[in-house]
Structure formats: structure tokens, C-alpha cells
Amino acid sequence: MANLKVDFLGKVFKNPVVAASGTFGFGEEYNDIYDVGLLGGISSKGLTLKSKQGNEGIRLWETPMGLMNSIGLQNPGVESFISREINIMKQYKTNVIANLGGNTLDDYLIGVKLLNDSEVDIIELNISCPNVKEGGMAFGIKADIAYNTVKAVREICRKPLMVKLSPNAESIPEMAAACEEAGADALSLINTINAMAIDIYARKSVFNNYYAGLSGPAVKPIALRMVHQSAKAVKIPVCGMGGISSGVDAIEFIMAGASIIQVGTANFVKADSCLDIIKELDEFLDSQGIRDIKEITGII
Amino acid sequence: MANLKVDFLGKVFKNPVVAASGTFGFGEEYNDIYDVGLLGGISSKGLTLKSKQGNEGIRLWETPMGLMNSIGLQNPGVESFISREINIMKQYKTNVIANLGGNTLDDYLIGVKLLNDSEVDIIELNISCPNVKEGGMAFGIKADIAYNTVKAVREICRKPLMVKLSPNAESIPEMAAACEEAGADALSLINTINAMAIDIYARKSVFNNYYAGLSGPAVKPIALRMVHQSAKAVKIPVCGMGGISSGVDAIEFIMAGASIIQVGTANFVKADSCLDIIKELDEFLDSQGIRDIKEITGII
Amino acid sequence: MMKNDMSKIIENKHICDNIFELVVLSDIVPLPGQFYMIKGLNGDYLLPRPISVHNYQDGKLRLLYRVSGHGTDQISRMKVNDNIQVLGPLGNGFDIALLNGKIAIVGGGIGIAPLLYLMKNIESKKPDVYLGFKDETFCLEGFGPNRNELIVVTEDGNTGHKGYVTDFINVKDYDIVITCGPEIMMEKIIRACLEKNVEVYASMEKRMACGVGACLGCVINTKNGNKRVCKDGPVFNGTDLTV
Amino acid sequence: MMKNDMSKIIENKHICDNIFELVVLSDIVPLPGQFYMIKGLNGDYLLPRPISVHNYQDGKLRLLYRVSGHGTDQISRMKVNDNIQVLGPLGNGFDIALLNGKIAIVGGGIGIAPLLYLMKNIESKKPDVYLGFKDETFCLEGFGPNRNELIVVTEDGNTGHKGYVTDFINVKDYDIVITCGPEIMMEKIIRACLEKNVEVYASMEKRMACGVGACLGCVINTKNGNKRVCKDGPVFNGTDLTV
Ligand SMILES: Cc1cc2nc3c(=O)[nH]c(=O)nc-3n(C[C@H](O)[C@H](O)[C@H](O)COP(=O)(O)OP(=O)(O)OC[C@H]3O[C@@H](n4cnc5c(N)ncnc54)[C@H](O)[C@@H]3O)c2cc1C
Ligand SMILES: Cc1cc2nc3c(=O)[nH]c(=O)nc-3n(C[C@H](O)[C@H](O)[C@H](O)COP(=O)(O)OP(=O)(O)OC[C@H]3O[C@@H](n4cnc5c(N)ncnc54)[C@H](O)[C@@H]3O)c2cc1C
Ligand SMILES: Cc1cc2nc3c(=O)[nH]c(=O)nc-3n(C[C@H](O)[C@H](O)[C@H](O)COP(=O)(O)O)c2cc1C
Ligand SMILES: Cc1cc2nc3c(=O)[nH]c(=O)nc-3n(C[C@H](O)[C@H](O)[C@H](O)COP(=O)(O)O)c2cc1C
Ligand code: FES
Ligand code: FES
């Protein structure tokens, strides 16, 4: 039994495996299948200031070893979260991460203020949403826009602040460095990659919004590269994700520099994938005579 | 029998299916398996001014529905190509595309001058190589550097000039527009996506160069999005590729705006994939009562 | 409670055309209308496929499925004793207690799959059963004519009546209509019932990823906002639906 | 000429441990040392796997393979009558005309796969055969002792001599040595031969994508520059190799 415990932003994670935002609801559905308190943490469904109904039309599409989604941030809104869903999450003995999105800087700021007084352990700032003031280009594409956003949020944020990078950023190392400089306590990546699917019989894009986000094993080699680049570019800790489906995958991300990791699409492939991954992490460390997972974090 | 014939940069392609650079050598090996003259065209192995031995260490790595490669442009050099390999390619009754790489602008310019006087039908300028003068950042990352490169090449190039974009570009629409403005006659994309794999037992990156290029079905949804973005951003024709493995895939790219397409990794999965794709294209068009493939080009 | 398990395949039988029946062992007694997320272990596809309980008896779970794409094709190639991933039972299922009075069950094509187990559960209520098929019929025996009124309709008149099943039912004759099948068939039935003030329940289909209510990928618009087919459904009261 | 085809599986037999034998029909008579790119049709892996001809007779191609990862595992699960993708024969193979004098064949583990067919092709030249295994031996019959000298070595002494096969051969006794097996074994043999001026041929292994010489993914450094294992090899003359 190797030591899987990790300190991350001052919180104790009993293991480095966190359920990824948007793939795990607020934990309750998966808690019907296994005790989600066994996880290192849970990142909530992406929250916005006001509740959202999400996108119309097809929301899911399978691709070779990948999944495209266009949920459109359907969520109950920050206020409902604080009065209701957070209590569900808090009953599981694990870290609660609030994933926060927004279309304007004000959305973020008001949302963070509300969350400041809540019981969330960490705020994960999702900067992949389209920035309505900048003409729909996401906050997470250009490093200077991200810098301004994170800096403003940082000034009022009293929770540990983890910024979630988009793989669609112009330059991952520059983006990572900009967020660190703006005061992020940690980075998480990757969010989904912009992608497209066409229904050739209907002669139209499968998704109403044309493009949708790609996740799953298909993107793993790209995600791993980006996590490695980020970890090299900053001193703050990194939370790695993108296609992680096994203990081997998780170890790759950890060796590439991730202190903790998130598991998204794999939850769909097999509902208790996170438990398998924790077990496989442990077995790998034991088989290699590694007593503490921190020994291999970022060794590449 | 629908009409699959396409005019592309003044050349007649008997069908829109072209074998992709680096996956088909100079055609001779696959010609042992089937008549490669049945293809619309063949793009040569990436050429550099001087011959190259390519990279040491592992060159290939399989990923979920993807392939990573780090061949490192092993090739006989432009001069050998003009005296030897081009003659091999020219015996097959199909379009010969010379894929040209380079580490400095001079490499490109001298290479193009040599190719000007050869029998190649089209030059495909591969701007994904690391630019030694700009500190190793590829020519294909920043639109202004690409613009300068393409403009200089354009001035001396007497062949139809197709510029091959890297998916690692900061912004695909800006890159596409910059290359068009600089005088490219066509664009081709995508090249491989920067990615990483780690051998967790050896505790090192699988590839000597750390990162390598990802291709194959895994990247298809990303490639399709980028081809769609490019086709919307420019008026010049686009050659689409990235994970195409079937007629359905090819139709998606064509509907997204590609006039012709290239097939790379699929040649490895099944040696005569290109023939299957041509057949499936034809069957799809017939089944939908489409008499000419151009009717559906870019309809999305 | 739901089960997330590797199950050994007891049977995986070709029934007719592209219809197969998969049998696995399962401890949990499902409700009629519930479903399972099914996935072979070595398939080159990512997401499990939602399949309804077709029948359940003595610990044997029977799933009737149509090979309609890559995933179901892969499932159909699995052999007895192979391990298969089975998550379920999932979804709300039919609330049997609510099903009183004169009942019609209307199924179309592979949509009959969940209706056999439903019928077994409400046999005492003597429902009439209407089944529509394109050409070849399958699994009629279970609905057997000695048990209740069975009206079979095929588009080509090959078996039973010729035409569409919707043309052979008069919903006014019933207190409750239950339907599962192609979208267009269900829409017609639901509209007719709503017009005539007949209670109607429909089992809906949507692409799914998690199957448990977490990803919000399978929502439909209802009069009470977005509802998840996998968790809030798949069975919906017609009055909630926006047809 | 090479064949690119779907072939029906005639046999796919478990031999021992993780060793299987696959039999398919094939019209083309291969050279010993040549190989095929093999891929199941519904596997969740992309690249075909290179497997050497183990035997060929009367249109039946026999491939002996070890399950060592995901792709070979998938191949091992295929059943008689399943279709499988077979591209080949590929590579140079052994040039039988060059193999004259006293010959030793040295195989290790699954590296014995290509050596049986080689042996059959040079039986008249009465080669001595040295085979090394970790513990369990397999496919010894083919090399049968009535045909030639057969020296079997296992690391644990379970069958035959105990130790490494490299300790039991004196390369000086031969004009030509032919080897296939683990890298470390081949290196030892090649070094010994080069030292003693004995002609030596080795069958090399590298990760492959195309298998036909087009992708340049499988090159090894030789004294004459990069060579493609799939096209210029897999059989190399020891004097070319940089061991
Ligand atoms: C609650 C529920 C119960 C069902 N019960 C049954 C049943 O008992 N028997 C049966 O044969 N079928 C049933 N279906 C339909 C069945 O799930 C689909 O036919 C199947 O998922 C198609 O997968 P494929 O691999 O054949 O097709 P592919 O084309 O490979 O599927 C690609 C993706 O689209 C999804 N998809 C494709 N068609 C459908 C569809 N009609 N509904 C939902 N998702 C779809 C798949 O799940 C997959 O994610 C049910 C569907 C739902 C939602
Ligand atoms: C010319 C040649 C002839 C061969 N003949 C035989 C034979 O007759 N019998 C036999 O059992 N094996 C043979 N091998 C080795 C066999 O190809 C590998 O064991 C097999 O590819 C491993 O695939 P996997 O799916 O088990 O492993 P995975 O780990 O799933 O393979 C992942 C990738 O790595 C490659 N790879 C992994 N190990 C090797 C290896 N040792 N050599 C080359 N590529 C590898 C695979 O081809 C694949 O692309 C031969 C190899 C070569 C190059
Ligand atoms: C259905 C779905 C919904 C998602 N919703 C969110 C979200 O609300 N907020 C967010 O930051 N990321 C969201 N993501 C992205 C994931 O958290 C994760 O970054 C991404 O899927 C890559 O990891 P994976 O390959 O393990 O799934 C979503 C992903 C999926 C598949
Ligand atoms: C082994 C290999 C070698 C390649 N070499 C080159 C090259 O020399 N020049 C180039 O422009 N692209 C090269 N590529 C990229 C392909 O031409 C193509 O852009 C990419 O693989 C995406 O297409 P695919 O998914 O169909 O393979 C290579 C790809 C592979 C897999
Ligand atoms: S499939 Fe995930 S919520 Fe229904
Ligand atoms: S595997 Fe492609 S050149 Fe050898």
C-alpha cells in the first residue's frame, strides 16, 4: 500500500483521483453505484451565475475512442448550488471543487463572491466559455484576456483558485504562465477540444452550434503533451486530465507533472472507472517499489 | 457512377483521393499492392534540401485509434528526388505532389527553385518544421511568420503552391487567411498534432524528442473542425485530411469544404484503404442521387 | 440500488433478421420499462448502449436488441461465457400501481422489447396488445393470444393486418395507453390520447453517455423543463411531453 | 507480389502458455523469414501486427504467435471462420541459395516461429538446431531429432539443458549461423560470429506501421545507413549490423 495522499492547495486529497466537471453531476448519481467518498475530490457540473437550460439538439456524439459533447452548461446556477447541491456534495467525505463558468467578467466576479462564503474547498475557474464582450471568443484563447480575467477574480477570491485551461488556447505555455502571473493557485487542463461531426445524410453539422467539445482516450496524447508543457511553464501545481481511463494513463500524467488528475469520459465507459484507476495506481507504485506517489510527480 | 473528377489548381484529379505525405513513400511500395495510378494523386515523402537520416529511437507509437510518429523527415533530399524518385512517381498516371519542408527560409527557396524545373504537378509547402532562425518554433505556429515565408516562396515559385498548415497553429482561421494573402494557391491540412507518450516503467518519454505527431481516426473530429474553419476563412481551395478512413469520413471533409482529401494513417491500417474510400465515395453519391461530387463540396 | 458488473453471457441468440436476444445473470429484479447500459469488453467503441429489460425470471435477465450500428453489432458477436459489462437497472420504469382500468399496449418494431416484461407484470389487468412491424414479426409468442387480445400489424400485410399499427387502435376504448416504438408512431399515439383525454405513457429514446443522470446528455424538453431520459425517464406521462 | 486480403480463419489454436497458432489459406508461397501484417476486423487497435511465416504447405499458411499485448490478445480471441486481414508475404526472407556449408539455427522463445519453415527449406543441408526457452517449450516436434541435431535449453532446466542457449553453441563449429529471438540473445550470437568470422544472419524486430517500406518507421542503423526492417529486412547479414 503506497501512499496516495496528496496535499493540493492546502487540502488533503486521499488520492489524486478527482471526478471531472460535467461528467459526474454533483456526485449523487454515482454515489448510487459506489461510495464517491473514496475519491480524492469531485468537481461540480460547470456553474453559471444564472441557471441555464443548455443547448438544443443532439448533445452527444461518439467518435473513434472519443466523445463529443455540446451540453451547453445546463446547470441550476450558483445560488441554487450554494443552497442545495453543495450540501449533497458535502456529505461525501471528499474535496468539493466548484467549477465556475461565465460569459462576462461580472458573471465570474459575482459568482466567486457567492462561492467565497460557501463551503467549497476549491474554485475551478473554467475560462473556456465564450466571452460575450469579446465577440464570442473564449476567455481561454488569448493569454492577455485570460490574464485580466484571472487577475480580477484573484483580487476578490478567498478560496484556493484553480484555473482550467482550454486546449484551444493559442499557446499553452504562454497561457499557463499568464494565469500563474495573474495569481492562479493551480492550473487544471485540458478541457474539451473544439471538434466537428457532420451527418452526411442530413447534410448538416450534427450539433446545432456546429462545433462541440472532444474528450476521451482519443485526446489523451494531446492532453498529456499540454500538461507537460504547462507543468514546465509554471511553478504552481497542475491538475491533469484528458482521456485518462486507467492507472497507466494516470501515472503518465503524474510523471508529466500533474499533482492530481481528473477523470471524465471514462466514468461513462465504466461507471466505477475512478475506483479501478485508484487501485491500479496503488498496484503500479507497489510493483515498482515506490512508497509515495509524490516521488514520481513531474519526473519527466 | 457519379463524377468524381475534380479540377484542383489547374490539374485534373480523376478522384479527390490523394495519398498523404510521409505515409506512402514515393508510391512504389504500395504499387506492389495495387495500381496507385487509380488515385487522384500522391504527395511525396517530405523533402528537405539536403538528405536527412531522421530521428533516432522509437519512431512509432500506437494510441487509442491514433498513431504517433517521430520519423524526423528521413528523406533523400530534393536533388535526389528530382533525379530519381520523381521518375518513379511520374510513371503512375496520377498527380505528383512534392511535399517540401525546411528549417530556414533559404532551404525552402532553394528547394522550390529546384522543383520549379521538375515535372512535379504541385508543391505542398510543409510549414510545420521547426524554424531554426526563430528558435525552433515552427513556421506554422504564428500567422505573421507563415505569411513572410509563403510570400517569399510565392515570389519565386512557378508551380501551383499548396501550403500545408499545422494544427498546432495559434489560430487556424488567421493562419489560413495569412497564407492566402501571401499568395498560396491552396491550403492543405491538417498535419499531425503535437502529442506525448510516456513509458512509465522506463520513466521517460517514449520519443527522444519528447513530443511527436498524432494522426489517425482519433484526430478526425478536430481535423474536420479545422478544415471547416479554413474553408470558411479563405476563397482558395482546401485539401482536407486527418484521420480519414472511410468514404463517410471523406464525404464529411468534402461537405466541410475540402475539394480534395488526403489519406495517411489509414494506409497502414489497411493497405488498400484509398481504393475502398474511392469506391465508398462513389456508392454514397449514387445512393443519394448526386451526379457530381462538386455538388456537395463545402455545402456546410 | 443498481449493479455495475461484469456478467457472463448465458445466451446471445439470433432471433431473426437483425434481432438478437442476450441473456445474463442478474440478482436485481428490475421494474418493467427500466434499462441497462451494455458494453462488450473488447469493442472499439466507447459508450455502453442502453437496452431495456425484455424479460426477467429466476435471476435471468433477457435483453432483446436490434443490430443497428457498430456497438450493437459488436455485442451481437459476443459468445456464451464471454464477459459483458452490465449497468442497471436504470431509469424510472412503469409505475404499475398507476396502471388501472382498461389498458392498451402499443409497440412498434424493436420498441416491443420493454413491453413483454411490462405485460407479464400487468397480465392480471388483461391489457390489449397492438404490435406493429415492418415485415418480419418476432417474439409474438410471449404476448400469446390466450393471455389477452393480440393485434399484429405489418406494413406489407405479411403477418396479421396490413398497414400501420396506429390505424388499428381506437384509443378512446381505453383508460390507459402505453407505447414504445419509432418516434413517429409514439407521437401519433400520444397526440390521439391527449386529444381524447386518455392517459398515455411513452418510453422515450435519446443518445446517452452516463445512463445515470450525471452528464445531462440525454435531456428532452418537457412542459416542466429539461428532463433526463435516463434518470427522470425513460417512461414519461404524455401530458408532460411536448409533442 | 503480395496479397492484401481478408482471409477466413481455418484454425486459431492455443498451443501452450500464451502461444497460439493461426492458420489461414493463402495462394502465395512465402520465402522463409518473410512475414505478414495481421489484423482482426473489429479490434480496437489500429495497426496490423507483424507475424512471421511459421510454416506453409498446400496453401495453408501457419503463423505462430505469442500474446504479448492488446493486439495479439485480440487476434487470439478470433474464431474459426472469422475474417482476418492478412497482408504479405513481406520482407526479404532468407536467401536459401546463400546458405551452404555447416549451418546452425539458433532460436529463442517465440523467435523460433520463423525458424521451422526455414528449417524445412534447408533440411537437406542438415542444420543443427539450438532452441532456448524460459520454461515451457513448444513446437519442438517440427524440428524433430530424426531430421537433425536438436539442442534444447531452458532457463530452469525443465526440459533439455539448463541455462542460456548461447552457452551451448560454439559458433566456430559452423560456416553459417542463423538466429532469431530476444535482442540480447541475438546480439551475443552476432558478436561471437563476427569475432570468429562466421557468417551470421539475424531476423530483426522493430515497431511497424505500414510493413511495406513506405513510412520509414521501422528503420535500424546499419553500416550502410538506415535500413527498413520491413522491406530491406527483416533478415540482415551480421556484418551490416551495428551491434
Ligand atoms: C432507454 C432506452 C432503451 C432502449 N432499449 C432498447 C432495446 O431494448 N432494444 C434495442 O434494440 N434498442 C434499444 N434502445 C435503442 C438502442 O440503445 C440503440 O439502438 C443503440 O444504442 C444503437 O447503438 P449502435 O451501436 O447499434 O449504433 P451506433 O450508430 O454505433 O451508435 C452510435 C451512438 O449513438 C447512440 N444511438 C444510436 N441510435 C440510438 C437510438 N435509437 N437511441 C439511443 N441512442 C442511440 C448509441 O447509443 C451510440 O452512443 C434503447 C434506447 C434507449 C434510450
Ligand atoms: C518482422 C517481425 C516478425 C515477427 N514475427 C513474430 C512471430 O512470428 N510471432 C510472434 O509472436 N511475434 C512476432 N513478432 C513480434 C510481434 O509483432 C509483436 O509481439 C506484436 O506486434 C506485439 O503486438 P501486441 O498487440 O501483442 O502488443 P502491443 O503492446 O499492443 O503493441 C503495441 C504496438 O507495438 C508494436 N510492438 C510491440 N512489441 C513489438 C515487438 N516485439 N516487435 C515489433 N513491434 C512490437 C506492435 O506491433 C504495436 O504496433 C514479429 C515482429 C517483427 C517485426
Ligand atoms: C459531457 C461532458 C460535460 C462537460 N462539462 C464540463 C463543464 O461543465 N465544465 C468544465 O469545465 N468541463 C466540462 N467538461 C470537460 C471535462 O471536465 C474534461 O475537462 C474533459 O472531458 C477532458 O477529460 P476526459 O477526457 O477525461 O473526459 C465536460 C465534459 C463532458 C464529456
Ligand atoms: C509516419 C508518418 C509520416 C509523415 N510524414 C510527413 C511528411 O514528411 N510531411 C508532411 O507534410 N506530413 C507528414 N505526415 C502527416 C500526414 O501527411 C498527414 O498530414 C497526417 O498524418 C494526418 O492525416 P492522417 O490522419 O490521415 O494520417 C506524416 C504522417 C505519418 C503518420
Ligand atoms: S445519459 Fe447522462 S444524463 Fe442521461
Ligand atoms: S513499417 Fe513502414 S517502413 Fe517499415
Side-chain angles (χ1 to χ4, degrees):
Chain A
M1 285 287 289
N3 182 23
L4 292 177
K5 210 166 62 185
V6 181
D7 270 317
F8 187 82
L9 302 188
K11 308 286 171 186
V12 177
F13 283 66
K14 55 176 81 88
N15 59 62
V17 178
V18 174
S21 175
T23 68
F24 216 72
F26 300 100
E28 59 187 329
E29 291 86 5
Y30 280 98
N31 199 55
D32 284 349
I33 302 172
Y34 66 88
D35 174 8
V36 299
L38 296 170
L39 303 178
I42 300 174
S43 179
S44 76
K45 173 65 203 168
L47 302 165
T48 50
L49 191 54
K50 303 259 166 278
S51 73
K52 285 190 69 167
Q53 283 294 300
N55 293 333
E56 296 288 316
I58 286 181
R59 289 184 169 192
L60 298 168
W61 192 258
E62 220 177 321
T63 73
M65 286 294 127
L67 170 65
M68 289 173 71
N69 88 80
S70 177
I71 309 295
L73 282 180
Q74 177 179 336
N75 81 91
V78 175
E79 286 187 35
S80 159
F81 173 74
I82 289 174
S83 64
R84 220 184 69 81
E85 286 80 8
I86 195 176
N87 300 313
I88 299 171
M89 292 180 83
K90 268 290 163 185
Q91 29 166 345
Y92 315 125
K93 312 245 160 299
T94 187
N95 289 294
V96 173
I97 302 175
N99 181 282
L100 181 68
N103 292 123
T104 64
L105 182 53
D106 275 354
D107 285 359
Y108 283 121
L109 294 176
I110 305 173
V112 167
K113 272 188 197 143
L114 292 169
L115 290 169
N116 272 339
D117 300 319
S118 77
E119 282 191 283
V120 302
D121 294 300
I122 293 173
I123 294 178
E124 184 177 46
L125 198 74
N126 173 9
I127 56 171
S128 311
C129 315
N131 179 341
V132 292
K133 292 226 174 116
E134 298 275 343
M137 160 90 75
F139 288 98
I141 304 294
K142 295 207 176 278
D144 53 349
I145 299 178
Y147 175 87
N148 291 335
T149 312
V150 173
K151 199 167 167 69
V153 167
R154 170 74 291 173
E155 269 160 23
I156 59 141
C157 180
R158 296 198 315 269
K159 297 280 185 187
L161 179 64
M162 175 158 83
V163 178
K164 184 163 179 181
L165 305 189
S166 164
N168 308 307
E170 289 190 344
S171 161
I172 284 289
E174 285 171 25
M175 179 59 78
C179 291
E180 177 181 48
E181 209 187 312
D185 297 313
L187 303 175
S188 63
L189 72 163
I190 63 172
N191 212 315
T192 55
I193 305 183
N194 245 344
M196 188 179 195
I198 290 174
D199 179 338
I200 65 170
Y201 298 96
R203 303 194 191 183
K204 59 190 192 61
S205 179
V206 163
F207 294 98
N208 285 6
N209 281 354
Y210 279 89
Y211 304 151
L214 182 66
S215 62
V219 309
K220 197 205 76 176
I222 303 171
L224 186 65
R225 182 260 296 178
M226 291 182 169
V227 166
H228 186 255
Q229 284 181 310
S230 301
K232 292 280 172 225
V234 299
K235 294 203 175 58
I236 52 177
V238 171
C239 168
M241 77 194 89
I244 296 177
S245 312
S246 68
V248 173
D249 293 341
I251 294 282
E252 284 191 74
F253 278 78
I254 289 166
M255 287 186 170
S259 302
I260 60 173
I261 58 114
Q262 290 186 30
V263 176
T265 305
N267 296 306
F268 309 152
V269 179
K270 182 164 180 292
D272 56 359
S273 288
C274 285
L275 295 189
D276 291 351
I277 291 171
I278 295 169
K279 186 158 151 279
E280 288 160 22
L281 278 181
D282 195 38
E283 286 167 358
F284 171 79
L285 295 180
D286 283 351
S287 78
Q288 304 293 303
I290 300 164
R291 279 188 301 184
D292 192 316
I293 193 152
K294 289 181 283 297
E295 288 175 33
I296 56 167
T297 307
I299 59 171
I300 287 174
Chain B
M1 285 288 290
N3 182 23
L4 292 177
K5 210 165 64 185
V6 181
D7 270 316
F8 188 80
L9 303 188
K11 308 286 170 183
V12 177
F13 283 65
K14 57 176 79 89
N15 58 61
V17 179
V18 174
S21 176
T23 68
F24 217 72
F26 300 100
E28 58 187 327
E29 291 86 5
Y30 281 98
N31 199 55
D32 284 348
I33 301 172
Y34 66 87
D35 174 8
V36 299
L38 297 169
L39 302 179
I42 300 173
S43 179
S44 76
K45 173 65 203 168
L47 302 165
T48 50
L49 190 54
K50 302 261 166 278
S51 73
K52 283 189 71 167
Q53 283 293 299
N55 293 334
E56 297 288 316
I58 286 181
R59 288 184 169 192
L60 298 168
W61 191 258
E62 220 177 322
T63 74
M65 285 295 129
L67 170 65
M68 290 173 70
N69 89 81
S70 178
I71 309 295
L73 283 181
Q74 177 179 335
N75 81 92
V78 176
E79 285 187 33
S80 159
F81 173 75
I82 289 174
S83 64
R84 219 184 69 80
E85 285 80 8
I86 195 176
N87 301 313
I88 299 171
M89 293 179 82
K90 268 290 164 187
Q91 30 167 343
Y92 315 125
K93 311 245 160 302
T94 187
N95 289 295
V96 173
I97 302 175
N99 180 283
L100 181 68
N103 293 122
T104 65
L105 182 54
D106 274 356
D107 286 359
Y108 283 122
L109 295 176
I110 304 173
V112 167
K113 272 190 195 143
L114 291 169
L115 290 169
N116 270 340
D117 299 320
S118 75
E119 281 189 285
V120 301
D121 295 299
I122 293 173
I123 293 177
E124 184 177 48
L125 198 73
N126 172 9
I127 56 171
S128 311
C129 315
N131 178 342
V132 293
K133 291 223 176 122
E134 299 274 345
M137 161 89 77
F139 288 98
I141 304 294
K142 296 206 175 280
D144 53 349
I145 299 179
Y147 176 87
N148 291 335
T149 311
V150 173
K151 198 167 167 71
V153 167
R154 171 75 290 172
E155 270 161 21
I156 59 143
C157 180
R158 298 198 313 271
K159 297 280 184 186
L161 179 65
M162 176 158 82
V163 178
K164 184 164 180 181
L165 305 189
S166 164
N168 308 305
E170 289 190 345
S171 161
I172 284 289
E174 286 172 24
M175 180 59 78
C179 291
E180 177 180 49
E181 209 188 311
D185 298 312
L187 303 176
S188 63
L189 72 162
I190 63 171
N191 211 315
T192 55
I193 305 183
N194 245 345
M196 188 179 194
I198 289 174
D199 180 337
I200 65 169
Y201 297 97
R203 302 192 190 185
K204 59 191 192 60
S205 178
V206 162
F207 294 98
N208 285 4
N209 281 356
Y210 280 89
Y211 305 151
L214 181 66
S215 63
V219 309
K220 197 206 77 178
I222 304 171
L224 186 66
R225 181 261 295 177
M226 292 182 168
V227 166
H228 186 255
Q229 284 182 309
S230 302
K232 292 281 172 223
V234 299
K235 294 205 175 57
I236 52 177
V238 171
C239 167
M241 77 194 90
I244 296 175
S245 311
S246 68
V248 172
D249 293 341
I251 294 283
E252 283 192 76
F253 277 79
I254 289 166
M255 288 186 171
S259 302
I260 59 173
I261 57 113
Q262 290 186 30
V263 176
T265 305
N267 296 305
F268 309 151
V269 178
K270 183 164 180 291
D272 56 358
S273 288
C274 286
L275 295 189
D276 292 350
I277 291 170
I278 295 169
K279 187 158 150 281
E280 289 160 22
L281 279 181
D282 194 38
E283 287 167 359
F284 172 79
L285 296 179
D286 282 351
S287 78
Q288 303 293 304
I290 301 165
R291 278 189 302 187
D292 192 314
I293 192 151
K294 288 182 283 298
E295 288 175 31
I296 56 167
T297 306
I299 60 170
I300 288 175
Chain C
M1 235 282 287
M2 63 185 90
K3 182 174 134 168
N4 179 41
D5 230 343
M6 295 305 149
S7 302
K8 262 212 167 38
I9 295 180
I10 306 291
E11 247 181 70
N12 194 14
K13 205 169 58 198
H14 185 212
I15 302 284
C16 70
D17 262 3
N18 50 4
I19 309 287
F20 289 74
E21 190 184 44
L22 175 71
V23 185
V24 295
L25 295 182
S26 174
D27 308 333
I28 310 170
V29 183
L31 297 174
Q34 285 193 305
F35 69 96
Y36 295 80
M37 294 295 278
I38 305 289
K39 184 174 188 291
L41 288 189
N42 284 302
D44 58 344
Y45 62 100
L46 210 56
L47 299 176
R49 304 299 195 234
I51 307 287
S52 307
V53 50
H54 177 54
N55 210 344
Y56 181 88
Q57 207 172 1
D58 306 330
K60 279 193 187 162
L61 173 65
R62 291 177 183 273
L63 305 164
L64 189 73
Y65 65 98
R66 189 182 61 197
V67 170
S68 68
H70 188 66
T72 46
D73 179 55
Q74 296 272 297
I75 294 170
S76 76
R77 289 166 192 278
M78 298 191 70
K79 312 270 157 123
V80 171
N81 285 328
D82 282 353
N83 279 318
I84 190 162
Q85 196 177 296
V86 177
L87 175 69
L90 302 169
N92 56 359
F94 293 98
D95 190 341
I96 306 280
L98 295 182
L99 305 180
N100 296 307
K102 186 94 189 90
I103 302 175
I105 294 179
V106 187
I110 188 64
I112 71 164
L115 300 179
L116 178 69
Y117 187 55
L118 170 66
M119 221 247 354
K120 297 229 157 162
N121 273 268
I122 57 170
E123 220 159 6
S124 59
K125 301 174 184 177
K126 294 271 171 212
D128 290 349
V129 178
Y130 297 80
L131 301 180
F133 299 91
K134 208 176 176 76
D135 33 40
E136 212 176 340
T137 59
F138 48 84
C139 298
L140 296 182
E141 327 77 52
F143 296 96
N146 45 344
R147 301 223 174 95
N148 43 255
E149 197 70 37
L150 176 63
I151 298 95
V152 175
V153 186
T154 53
E155 282 181 35
D156 58 2
N158 199 8
T159 311
H161 304 278
K162 181 181 160 116
Y164 295 102
V165 70
T166 41
D167 300 333
F168 290 84
I169 178 172
N170 195 342
V171 298
K172 268 190 310 192
D173 300 343
Y174 300 94
D175 299 305
I176 297 184
V177 175
I178 293 163
T179 182
C180 184
E183 222 171 290
I184 176 152
M185 180 200 91
M186 293 204 289
E187 269 178 28
K188 270 196 197 168
I189 299 282
I190 295 168
R191 278 221 193 83
C193 290
L194 294 181
E195 244 165 55
K196 308 272 155 46
N197 260 315
V198 176
E199 213 171 314
V200 57
Y201 295 95
S203 180
M204 308 297 285
E205 277 192 21
K206 265 283 198 174
R207 285 166 192 279
M208 293 184 177
C210 71
V212 299
C215 74
L216 307 182
C218 68
V219 303
I220 54 171
N221 285 322
T222 73
K223 291 183 183 137
N224 305 303
N226 281 345
K227 294 285 175 194
R228 299 162 298 180
V229 170
C230 69
K231 183 81 179 177
D232 307 312
V235 179
F236 289 90
N237 188 325
T239 54
D240 291 339
L241 296 171
T242 56
V243 282
Chain D
M1 235 283 285
M2 64 186 90
K3 182 174 135 167
N4 178 41
D5 230 345
M6 295 305 149
S7 303
K8 261 210 169 38
I9 294 179
I10 305 292
E11 245 179 73
N12 194 15
K13 205 169 58 199
H14 184 214
I15 302 286
C16 70
D17 262 3
N18 50 3
I19 309 289
F20 289 74
E21 190 183 47
L22 175 71
V23 186
V24 295
L25 295 181
S26 173
D27 307 333
I28 310 170
V29 182
L31 297 175
Q34 285 192 308
F35 69 98
Y36 295 79
M37 294 296 278
I38 305 290
K39 186 174 185 292
L41 289 188
N42 285 300
D44 59 345
Y45 61 100
L46 210 57
L47 300 176
R49 303 301 194 234
I51 308 286
S52 306
V53 49
H54 178 54
N55 211 344
Y56 182 88
Q57 208 173 0
D58 306 331
K60 279 193 188 161
L61 172 65
R62 290 177 182 272
L63 305 164
L64 188 73
Y65 64 99
R66 190 182 59 199
V67 170
S68 67
H70 187 67
T72 47
D73 179 55
Q74 296 272 297
I75 294 170
S76 77
R77 288 165 193 278
M78 298 192 69
K79 311 270 161 119
V80 171
N81 284 330
D82 282 353
N83 279 318
I84 190 163
Q85 196 177 297
V86 177
L87 175 68
L90 302 170
N92 56 2
F94 294 98
D95 190 341
I96 306 278
L98 295 181
L99 304 180
N100 295 308
K102 186 93 189 89
I103 301 174
I105 294 179
V106 187
I110 188 65
I112 72 165
L115 300 179
L116 178 70
Y117 187 55
L118 170 67
M119 221 244 358
K120 297 228 158 161
N121 273 268
I122 57 170
E123 220 159 7
S124 59
K125 300 176 184 176
K126 294 273 171 210
D128 291 348
V129 179
Y130 296 80
L131 301 180
F133 300 89
K134 208 174 176 76
D135 33 41
E136 212 178 338
T137 60
F138 48 84
C139 299
L140 296 181
E141 328 76 54
F143 295 97
N146 46 343
R147 301 223 174 94
N148 42 253
E149 196 70 36
L150 176 64
I151 297 94
V152 175
V153 186
T154 54
E155 282 180 36
D156 58 3
N158 200 6
T159 312
H161 304 277
K162 180 182 162 113
Y164 295 104
V165 68
T166 42
D167 300 333
F168 290 84
I169 179 174
N170 196 341
V171 299
K172 268 189 314 194
D173 300 344
Y174 299 95
D175 298 307
I176 297 184
V177 175
I178 294 163
T179 183
C180 185
E183 223 172 290
I184 178 152
M185 181 200 91
M186 292 205 289
E187 268 179 27
K188 270 195 195 167
I189 299 282
I190 295 168
R191 279 221 193 85
C193 289
L194 294 180
E195 241 164 55
K196 306 273 157 42
N197 260 316
V198 177
E199 213 170 315
V200 57
Y201 295 95
S203 180
M204 307 297 286
E205 276 191 20
K206 266 284 199 176
R207 283 165 194 279
M208 293 182 176
C210 70
V212 299
C215 75
L216 308 180
C218 68
V219 302
I220 52 170
N221 285 321
T222 72
K223 292 184 182 136
N224 306 304
N226 282 346
K227 295 283 175 195
R228 300 163 297 181
V229 169
C230 70
K231 183 80 178 180
D232 307 312
V235 178
F236 289 90
N237 189 324
T239 55
D240 290 339
L241 297 170
T242 55
V243 281

